Amino acid sequence: MRPARVILNAKSPLINTPAWLALLDHYERVKKDHMVDLFDQDPKRFERYSIEFNDMLLDYSKNRVNDKTLELLFDLAKQAKVEEWRDRMFSGDKINNTEGRAVLHTALRNRSDKPIFVDDENVMPLIETELDKMRAFSDKVRSGQWIGYAGLPITNVVNIGIGGSDLGPNMVCRALERYAHNNIRVHFVSNVDGSHIDQMLSHLRPETTLFIVASKTFTTQETLTNANTAKKWFLDGAGRATEYDIAKHFVAVSTNEEAVKEFGIDPRNMFRFWDWVGGRYSLWSSVGLASAIYVGMDNFIEMLEGAHEMDNHFQTAPFEENIPVILAMLGVWYGNFFGAESSAILPYDHSLRMLPAYLEQADMESNGKSVDREGRQATYSTGKIIWGAEGINGQHAFYQLLHQGTRLIPTDFIASVQSQSDHQNHRDILASNFLAQTEALMRGRTIEETRKQLEEGGIELHKAEQRLPHMIFEGNQPSNSIVIKKMTPRALGSLIAMYEHKIFVQGIVWNLNSYDQWGVELGKKLTNNILEELESGENHYEHDSSTKGLLDWFRKNRNDGG
Ligand code: F6P
């Protein structure tokens, strides 16, 4: 007989704690309350449930909460000791308990004089050295002083990485396009499907291309495969480059110097970061090199400053005014009490088009866990499914389900007021859609309103009655509106840090270690086994009939006949 699948008898006690039970009780009282009534009862609801932070406004008034709900949610955060854990994180305590590591992406953007210690070493000088190195290098590339082997400046930068070594800098480059260098383009290759790198390289010339191989571990199969293909393209290309020229065209970003050397990159061309920076929190480190080259180091630093300001806010504001805490606890409210399974990120700003993908990793790789810190089974929902797309496109695609589907899906609507484009009419149409959608989700449309509309439309009575139920909107769909004056590096830094801390707070409330990711290991191991079998044509491992059938089908139909 196979061993039991569920081996954890111990259960996390969270759902029996006083703050949780109080919320459960409260939920039963308020679960049917409609936001339209809450707005009617309180003309100052917007003023009371919105916060300005620098150039950002968070309006959380379109949520299914009242003062009591918020009070109880903050009690839960206090019971979970969010403040203590927060201070431990910022001070370099090893809160990543399964890997014995500190969690210090906040140190990367520490713009104060405060030292931060890991194992009795102040890490701030290390960070400053790396930032200086990034500045020197990015300045040279941007000014054309960094010359390739054929005597030409760099015009194309290709970042080869995946996950946190791709999504972060990629998202930042898109978000800050208005600050981009005029003559340097930045590309990102992540997929090991050879057509990704082929497509990219087909537009490029080895003489003017710089590759950044970004990998925290420098063991990631997809990244190393792409990096080797890039190296081969570089050396075999028409330009007659030699091994000696690699130093001018390949740099690495990693924590693993040995592996970087082994790949053939001179450690002098290596930009470092450290094991206390999680991959999905690494865009503030030298993983941000591609973005620093693209937008310039001053803008990169401004982004760090924006994040640092959000760090200060998170560390000092009382829960009632603390943006990440409020967002986190609203998420807990919907996930754990209303049973919401997903949450959507809906940017109304083309420059933020990659934000949903970025936050999918940040959130789901952090809080997609079913075992608590003490190794006990979580008997409550943890990380929600995070998804999203540009809101305006979503309106014409999936919003139907947000408005009239059977599920509760809390949403974050994100917009910037000053658009990148000069088309004022476009800007106002976009903003009106943003505003109208959150209003529609909240208000819905009653039977009376719907009937009146049908009557005004002059539809025959029997047809109108038939159509009526399909046109009613329940409403009461919660949304947060996050509005930014202009998508500057500073605002972007604050926005991302806000989400990082939201994820942190939720992880603490659910008693998770948000900073490991053991769930990605098994697939990697099985990939290696199957790769061995695909390459050798032999069967070495036991598989279920589905995997075996699929493997055989792949083998039979490969285009190399192998
Ligand atoms: O497999 C998941 C993961 O480890 C992520 O956590 C990480 O961001 C990504 O792979 C890339 O890892 P690396 O930077 O070490 O190549």
Side-chain angles (χ1 to χ4, degrees):
M1 209 175 80
R2 293 188 63 83
R5 311 299 297 173
V6 179
I7 47 171
L8 299 175
N9 289 323
K11 307 268 184 259
S12 185
L14 178 61
I15 58 171
N16 293 318
T17 56
W20 192 276
L21 293 172
L23 272 162
L24 257 187
D25 186 51
H26 175 72
Y27 167 73
E28 287 304 323
R29 286 171 218 265
V30 300
K31 64 185 178 192
K32 297 218 168 86
D33 290 358
H34 202 290
M35 282 187 276
V36 167
D37 300 323
L38 300 178
F39 273 98
D40 285 349
Q41 287 155 17
D42 178 6
K44 291 210 176 315
R45 189 169 167 89
F46 168 76
E47 281 91 323
R48 295 197 313 109
Y49 292 166
S50 61
I51 300 180
E52 281 196 56
F53 171 82
N54 290 349
D55 283 348
M56 184 194 285
L57 166 73
L58 165 68
D59 168 21
Y60 61 100
S61 61
K62 291 192 185 95
N63 276 292
R64 294 170 69 168
V65 294
N66 59 28
D67 287 352
K68 186 69 187 169
T69 322
L70 292 169
E71 184 192 316
L72 292 174
L73 285 168
F74 297 140
D75 284 350
L76 179 63
K78 279 176 201 138
Q79 177 190 274
K81 301 193 170 28
V82 165
E83 284 151 311
E84 282 171 40
W85 282 100
R86 175 193 67 193
D87 295 346
R88 287 179 63 185
M89 173 173 76
F90 275 90
S91 65
D93 249 24
K94 297 193 174 168
I95 64 165
N96 173 353
N97 60 328
T98 58
E99 296 179 317
R101 291 177 183 167
V103 174
L104 271 181
H105 45 281
T106 50
L108 299 168
R109 59 217 192 196
N110 171 21
R111 309 304 296 162
S112 75
D113 298 334
K114 212 175 124 219
I116 298 173
F117 293 92
V118 176
D119 291 331
D120 298 328
E121 183 187 16
N122 178 10
V123 296
M124 288 317 300
L126 304 176
I127 293 169
E128 287 307 326
T129 304
E130 249 10 77
L131 284 173
D132 289 347
K133 193 169 167 186
M134 278 172 81
R135 179 181 287 281
F137 182 71
S138 58
D139 281 356
K140 271 195 190 153
V141 174
R142 287 169 61 81
S143 65
Q145 273 175 277
W146 184 273
I147 299 292
Y149 74 94
L152 296 170
I154 299 299
T155 53
N156 286 279
V157 175
V158 180
N159 186 90
I160 300 178
I162 198 163
S165 300
D166 166 77
L167 289 165
N170 197 347
M171 181 269 292
V172 169
C173 287
R174 304 302 149 231
L176 300 181
E177 253 152 19
R178 56 156 54 121
Y179 300 89
H181 192 284
N182 285 335
N183 303 320
I184 297 179
R185 293 193 302 146
V186 177
H187 316 269
F188 289 84
V189 176
S190 55
N191 198 332
V192 78
D193 181 339
S195 46
H196 193 182
I197 191 152
D198 279 355
Q199 250 168 31
M200 196 67 68
L201 296 179
S202 66
H203 303 292
L204 305 177
R205 294 166 56 200
E207 299 91 303
T208 51
T209 302
L210 174 77
F211 292 96
I212 300 174
V213 185
S215 174
K216 178 175 171 181
T217 54
F218 230 78
T219 58
T220 303
Q221 186 186 47
E222 296 88 335
T223 299
L224 292 188
T225 305
N226 277 324
N228 276 309
T229 300
K231 191 156 84 173
K232 191 165 181 317
W233 171 84
F234 177 74
L235 293 172
D236 295 354
R240 280 192 247 124
T242 65
E243 291 276 343
Y244 172 79
D245 299 319
I246 286 179
K248 299 191 181 93
H249 293 267
F250 282 80
V251 300
V253 175
S254 188
T255 59
N256 184 349
E257 183 168 332
E258 276 316 300
V260 168
K261 268 201 260 178
E262 203 179 306
F263 177 82
I265 293 180
D266 187 332
R268 277 174 300 184
N269 286 342
M270 172 177 167
F271 296 80
R272 287 172 176 73
F273 64 115
W274 306 272
D275 71 359
W276 36 263
V277 180
R280 53 191 172 276
Y281 296 90
S282 63
L283 65 83
W284 321 99
S285 73
S286 43
V287 167
L289 185 62
S291 51
I293 294 173
Y294 194 50
V295 304
M297 200 59 193
D298 287 346
N299 284 319
F300 187 80
I301 296 286
E302 197 189 306
M303 182 178 79
L304 301 187
E305 282 166 0
H308 179 63
E309 283 162 11
M310 181 55 76
D311 293 344
N312 287 340
H313 165 82
F314 177 52
Q315 283 181 285
T316 54
F319 284 179
E320 295 71 21
E321 292 159 30
N322 196 309
I323 294 176
V325 173
I326 292 169
L327 291 175
M329 298 317 292
L330 289 170
V332 168
W333 178 230
Y334 296 121
N336 294 104
F337 297 92
F338 282 86
E341 295 202 326
S342 83
S343 181
I345 307 289
L346 305 169
Y348 280 69
D349 178 335
H350 188 57
S351 78
L352 291 180
R353 61 195 175 277
M354 278 207 58
L355 187 67
Y358 172 77
L359 291 177
E360 281 168 11
Q361 185 198 14
D363 199 313
M364 294 200 276
E365 202 170 63
S366 297
N367 287 339
K369 318 264 163 83
S370 51
V371 170
D372 77 2
R373 263 178 189 282
E374 283 76 34
R376 297 169 300 199
Q377 180 128 37
T379 52
Y380 40 87
S381 300
T382 59
K384 281 206 284 301
I385 301 156
I386 302 296
W387 61 283
E390 284 190 80
I392 199 78
N393 296 335
Q395 283 176 213
H396 298 276
F398 56 79
Y399 273 36
Q400 165 65 35
L401 185 143
L402 298 183
H403 285 289
Q404 286 188 315
T406 52
R407 294 163 205 280
L408 179 83
I409 303 182
T411 47
D412 282 0
F413 280 69
I414 307 162
S416 43
V417 179
Q418 296 173 19
S419 119
Q420 202 159 319
S421 110
D422 297 330
H423 300 295
Q424 197 168 324
N425 58 336
H426 287 239
R427 189 197 63 194
D428 291 345
I429 290 171
L430 187 63
S432 331
N433 274 280
F434 172 96
L435 296 168
Q437 287 296 329
T438 65
E439 188 173 31
L441 283 166
M442 187 276 286
R443 290 183 60 83
R445 188 168 58 199
T446 62
I447 190 161
E448 292 77 23
E449 288 164 341
T450 310
R451 185 170 281 128
K452 186 156 174 271
Q453 192 191 318
L454 283 165
E455 279 165 15
E456 281 166 7
I459 298 178
E460 289 166 53
L461 194 60
H462 76 280
K463 278 199 187 145
E465 283 307 312
Q466 198 184 32
R467 209 176 278 180
L468 190 65
H470 303 280
M471 293 182 63
I472 295 166
F473 290 62
E474 181 59 32
N476 222 8
Q477 293 287 352
S479 67
N480 296 307
S481 293
I482 299 157
V483 193
I484 292 162
K485 246 185 227 166
K486 183 176 166 189
M487 191 43 63
T488 59
R490 185 175 297 276
L492 181 68
S494 298
L495 180 74
I496 303 166
M498 173 193 89
Y499 274 112
E500 287 180 347
H501 295 319
K502 171 196 165 180
I503 294 164
F504 167 84
V505 172
Q506 293 188 334
I508 296 302
V509 170
W510 293 322
N511 193 25
L512 304 175
N513 176 4
S514 303
Y515 301 100
D516 60 12
Q517 58 283 318
W518 300 103
V520 302
E521 296 297 324
L522 177 61
K524 287 185 189 173
K525 184 172 180 323
L526 295 186
T527 298
N528 287 333
N529 295 353
I530 292 174
L531 180 61
E532 191 187 313
E533 294 181 308
L534 266 179
E535 285 178 345
S536 68
E538 292 162 11
N539 297 325
H540 294 295
Y541 301 95
E542 241 184 67
H543 299 290
D544 58 88
S545 65
S546 159
T547 310
K548 186 169 177 325
L550 288 164
L551 175 59
D552 289 343
W553 211 87
F554 267 86
R555 277 177 175 149
K556 206 165 62 199
N557 292 291
R558 277 152 62 129
N559 48 2
D560 59 3

